[in-house]
Amino acid sequence: MHTLRVYRRNLGAHLRATLEYQADFWILVVAAVLTQGAGLVLIATIFARVPRIHGWGVWEVVLIFAMMVLAQGTSELLAEGTWGLAGLINRGELDRMLLRPYPCLLQVCASRVGMNAFGNVTVGGGLLVTALLHLDVAWTPARIGLALVLLPSALVIKVSLTVVANSTSFWLRGAINTFAAGMDQLGELTKYPLSIYGVGLQAVLATALPFAFIGFFPVSVFLDHGRLAWIGLLTPAVAVYCVLLAVTVFRRGLRRYESAGN
Amino acid sequence: MAPLIEATGLVKEFRRPRRDSGLTGALKHLVTRRFDIHRAVDGIDLRVGEGESVAYAGPNGAGKSTTVKLLTGILVPTAGEVRVAGVVPHRDRIANAKNVGVVFGQRTQLWWDLPVGDTFELLRDMYRIPAADYRRSLGRLTEVLEIGPLLPVLARKLSLGQRMRADLAAALLHQPHILYLDEPTIGLDLDVKDRVRTFLRQLVADGTTILLTTHDIGDIEEVCGRIVVIDEGRIRHDGPVEVLRDALASASSVRFQLSASAPLDLIRERLGDAEVTAPGERELVVRFDRTTRTAGAVAATVMGLVEVRDLRINDEGIADLIRRIHRPDEVTARSGAA
Ligand SMILES: Nc1ncnc2c1ncn2[C@@H]1O[C@H](COP(=O)(O)OP(=O)(O)O)[C@@H](O)[C@H]1O
Ligand SMILES: [Mg+2]
């Protein structure tokens, strides 16, 4: 509990500093709207020609998309600092974090707040609500319970995968981690129904790099969509797995840390 | 009583990728993964008792910072053992962090993009400093280090001197009984240097154990009771600071950076018994006896003969100085060769 409280305060301090000294909240929201708008235009264009893609209707796809944007915003809010990890390692700046009586990974995560975090959380949340309103969901207690488990699990998966991607910096040793950026781009593919991709890619996105558990699978089971909808029930388990993976990879990497000469 | 800081046979090796130049070299490295091993710390035995103030001196690249990183648990030793207040730092980082404070002169410990006051509050939370203790500690540090006005300022906006004072406060908020300082006065103005030294002396008087790395003889003389000299990863000298002080009282030196190469013979002629050497092409070091001439007179003489770009008084390498005390012949031979 103490650990979480300190994390929140650490993040809060950076958030305040970001807002106070650097950025205007509304400009950031507009920026996110424009960026994510491009993806929405693509979806709209496709559905202007065909009513369904692989059995998916427009608002169902928007729901997947919304989950991805919300997850991205969450990761930019909670773990943006990991994108600076390669630089921190390269410049020997983990030294100062290792000198404090607090977990190094959490210090890294909280060391920055993503500029697009607020925009993406707002846009993602807005799209999520809009899609749900159009989808005419029967809100039984079971379905509400399901949503309450799926949503946090999906967000945790995204944050953990961001940590995993960037923890490779301990091995790659460059000043920026292009591998992590590439992995993130790959994850972006799951903004659209998984079934439009080849079997190999589907397998990768469902297992080795389980990005499909952020949007596609949880939405499938929530809407009870398709034969494989049940896979979405694994989302919480995948979340636990991703957290353990993130912590393990980071710890292993940290053992390789050698500071830096001046 | 067991020493507070105890290192035995401490070794740290760094692996440096060995790369032949060009693309083939880079590819070859990917395949073969060859490394050069560099021993930065080479079998150090060090014991520091409670309340001691130890200067850890030596030339650039001697292994001073690496030793501090081993003692603080940032680095894992290649061989040997460390124990600080009964804790093995790299194994139990968090327990160790609560016992010690660390200041790196070249690199701030503050959150770069936060106001100083926010950093202090975060540290209070991380170290779980009780509210009353925090208030007392912060009050005292703000007063002696005069950092009150700095609290609302972003760390990256601070001048070097301000930053150093804020860094000292950050390292001491949790009232550690051991303080490591890695070149705490590097680049500071004289008056800030003085303030920092006075503050450190006060800490020592209050019983804090200090280990301080430095190039600066002033730091050693004014703060420390004991000096350990390290070169090429090994301890070369360990003894009380008085010995050094005595040597300084009689010998002195000026180091000049010149715009052109020096007319050595002419300078030697004018300066009589002083020892004149040229360690680099446009560099000149004059060592002289303080009882027969002053640094000012030496500087004036040299400036009359050659254009001087920069000069520094008494910045003879500490390791050289110590060697001169112990083995006068060896250094004379070395500078003769230079
Ligand atoms: N993180 C590192 N990786 C590789 N080599 C290093 C590292 N840190 C220090 N070294 C090397 O080890 C030697 C000792 O460095 P250091 O302890 O920083 O010396 P000092 O502090 O006495 O100037 C130097 O040759 C330096 O280049
Ligand atoms: Mg150093």
Side-chain angles (χ1 to χ4, degrees):
Chain A
M1 269 305 96
H2 170 261
T3 308
L4 278 183
R5 199 163 61 235
V6 174
Y7 181 74
R8 213 187 53 227
R9 290 206 188 132
N10 193 355
L11 210 55
H14 282 89
L15 194 65
R16 246 193 341 269
T18 307
L19 290 178
E20 206 163 311
Y21 299 99
Q22 294 177 7
D24 184 331
F25 177 81
W26 288 108
I27 291 181
L28 294 176
V29 173
V30 170
V33 170
L34 293 178
T35 315
Q36 304 303 352
L40 288 175
V41 167
L42 181 66
I43 293 176
T45 315
I46 293 172
F47 281 99
R49 306 211 176 134
V50 289
R52 302 184 86 73
I53 305 174
H54 288 242
W56 290 82
V58 62
W59 290 110
E60 292 164 343
V61 174
V62 171
L63 190 59
I64 297 175
F65 190 89
M67 287 289 283
M68 290 295 290
V69 176
L70 188 61
Q72 185 180 336
T74 309
S75 149
E76 282 161 348
L77 190 66
L78 300 182
E80 181 70 7
T82 59
W83 289 102
L85 186 59
L88 291 174
I89 295 168
N90 232 254
R91 295 187 300 271
E93 285 182 29
L94 289 187
D95 287 12
R96 85 183 119 99
M97 302 188 181
L98 290 171
L99 293 172
R100 297 175 188 138
Y102 190 78
C104 186
L105 173 57
L106 293 182
Q107 291 187 60
V108 172
C109 283
S111 63
R112 261 199 227 168
V113 177
M115 291 300 243
N116 297 324
F118 316 108
N120 281 331
V121 168
T122 313
V123 170
L127 283 175
L128 190 80
V129 172
T130 314
L132 286 174
L133 288 177
H134 280 86
L135 278 169
D136 175 31
V137 176
W139 287 101
T140 60
R143 178 139 295 161
I144 292 172
L146 191 60
L148 288 180
V149 173
L150 291 175
L151 183 64
S153 301
L155 302 182
V156 163
I157 292 171
K158 171 68 180 179
V159 172
S160 303
L161 288 178
T162 307
V163 172
V164 172
N166 282 297
S167 296
T168 57
S169 308
F170 284 110
W171 286 268
L172 297 175
R173 281 293 152 114
I176 45 170
N177 189 338
T178 40
F179 172 82
M183 184 167 150
D184 202 56
Q185 281 304 309
L186 196 65
E188 291 287 284
L189 295 177
T190 60
K191 274 182 170 172
Y192 310 99
L194 198 61
S195 43
I196 65 175
Y197 301 114
V199 178
L201 192 52
Q202 285 190 35
V204 169
L205 292 171
T207 56
L209 305 171
F211 283 102
F213 280 92
I214 300 167
F216 179 74
F217 286 127
V219 168
S220 298
V221 72
F222 180 76
L223 297 177
D224 198 13
H225 195 292
R227 250 182 328 113
L228 296 178
W230 62 271
I231 294 179
L233 289 176
L234 298 176
T235 307
V238 174
V240 171
Y241 167 77
C242 286
V243 169
L244 292 178
L245 186 69
V247 171
T248 310
V249 173
F250 186 87
R251 281 224 180 113
R252 279 279 164 81
L254 195 55
R255 267 190 243 153
R256 300 173 56 91
Y257 179 67
E258 293 273 63
S259 181
N262 285 317
Chain B
M1 198 179 64
L4 201 54
I5 301 173
E6 195 172 12
T8 316
L10 201 57
V11 173
K12 181 65 193 180
E13 290 175 346
F14 291 110
R15 296 198 316 165
R16 289 181 180 151
R18 187 198 296 175
R19 256 177 226 151
D20 305 327
S21 53
L23 181 63
T24 29
L27 288 177
K28 221 195 267 170
H29 173 73
L30 274 182
V31 180
T32 57
R33 289 261 158 204
R34 285 186 309 167
F35 290 93
D36 287 326
I37 301 282
H38 176 74
R39 232 172 217 234
V41 168
D42 189 7
I44 280 187
D45 295 306
L46 182 67
R47 272 160 192 58
V48 178
E50 183 146 13
E52 271 197 279
S53 51
V54 179
Y56 199 63
N60 254 328
K64 303 183 295 292
S65 300
T66 305
T67 308
V68 172
K69 288 172 190 171
L70 288 165
L71 295 178
T72 51
I74 292 173
L75 291 175
V76 181
T78 309
E81 283 175 34
V82 210
R83 215 165 250 285
V84 177
V87 175
V88 179
H90 55 274
R91 230 170 271 151
D92 200 348
R93 237 177 13 79
I94 289 189
N96 182 63
K98 290 185 175 158
N99 294 332
V100 310
V102 190
V103 174
F104 285 105
Q106 322 229 28
R107 213 177 260 160
T108 184
Q109 306 289 102
L110 307 169
W111 275 266
W112 199 231
D113 42 8
L114 295 187
V116 175
D118 283 12
T119 285
F120 289 173
E121 281 173 21
L122 277 174
L123 290 173
R124 174 198 63 199
D125 296 342
M126 284 186 178
Y127 285 93
R128 302 176 192 241
I129 308 172
D133 289 3
Y134 175 74
R135 261 197 310 279
R136 205 174 323 117
S137 191
L138 182 64
R140 176 166 162 268
L141 290 167
T142 1
E143 192 187 316
V144 248
L145 290 168
E146 299 173 38
I147 50 172
L150 306 182
L151 295 179
V153 182
L154 290 184
R156 63 182 146 85
K157 300 255 166 98
L158 298 178
S159 74
L160 188 61
Q162 294 172 329
R163 203 216 82 199
M164 187 51 62
R165 285 182 285 139
D167 251 315
L168 272 168
L172 291 166
L173 274 177
H174 61 292
Q175 301 181 293
H177 47 273
I178 303 170
L179 181 62
Y180 301 101
L181 302 129
D182 192 4
E183 312 219 19
T185 59
I186 197 164
L188 296 185
D189 296 341
L190 277 179
D191 63 322
V192 185
K193 242 182 210 182
D194 269 348
R195 259 201 279 180
V196 169
R197 286 173 185 164
T198 310
F199 177 70
L200 293 179
R201 256 202 318 271
Q202 187 58 47
L203 284 178
V204 173
D206 293 345
T208 308
T209 306
I210 285 187
L211 184 100
L212 176 156
T213 84
T214 186
H215 293 299
D216 195 321
I217 290 183
D219 291 348
I220 300 172
E221 277 196 293
E222 290 180 35
V223 180
C224 300
R226 172 179 160 198
I227 175 167
V228 175
V229 178
I230 166 181
D231 194 8
E232 292 175 341
R234 298 204 182 145
I235 292 182
R236 306 287 182 185
H237 169 87
D238 186 345
V241 166
E242 280 94 61
V243 179
L244 180 77
R245 202 171 287 145
D246 293 346
L248 276 173
S250 61
S252 193
S253 69
V254 185
R255 177 181 292 262
F256 298 90
Q257 301 289 334
L258 309 174
S259 310
S261 55
L264 273 183
D265 292 338
L266 195 57
I267 295 171
R268 284 202 179 109
E269 197 186 301
R270 294 286 173 84
L271 286 174
D273 58 346
E275 178 193 340
V276 180
T277 52
E281 197 195 331
R282 292 184 177 176
E283 233 181 0
L284 191 71
V285 175
V286 181
R287 298 205 178 86
F288 55 93
D289 189 334
R290 238 186 220 171
T291 52
T292 58
R293 58 181 87 233
T294 66
V298 169
T301 308
V302 173
M303 284 159 134
L305 297 171
V306 61
E307 193 182 327
V308 173
R309 285 196 307 150
D310 191 15
L311 68 83
R312 286 196 278 169
I313 296 172
N314 268 346
D315 80 334
E316 186 172 29
I318 288 156
D320 281 345
L321 191 72
I322 297 285
R323 271 200 221 104
R324 231 147 56 83
I325 299 165
H326 289 265
R327 278 161 305 212
D329 330 329
E330 190 187 306
V331 172
T332 323
R334 268 182 30 158
S335 30

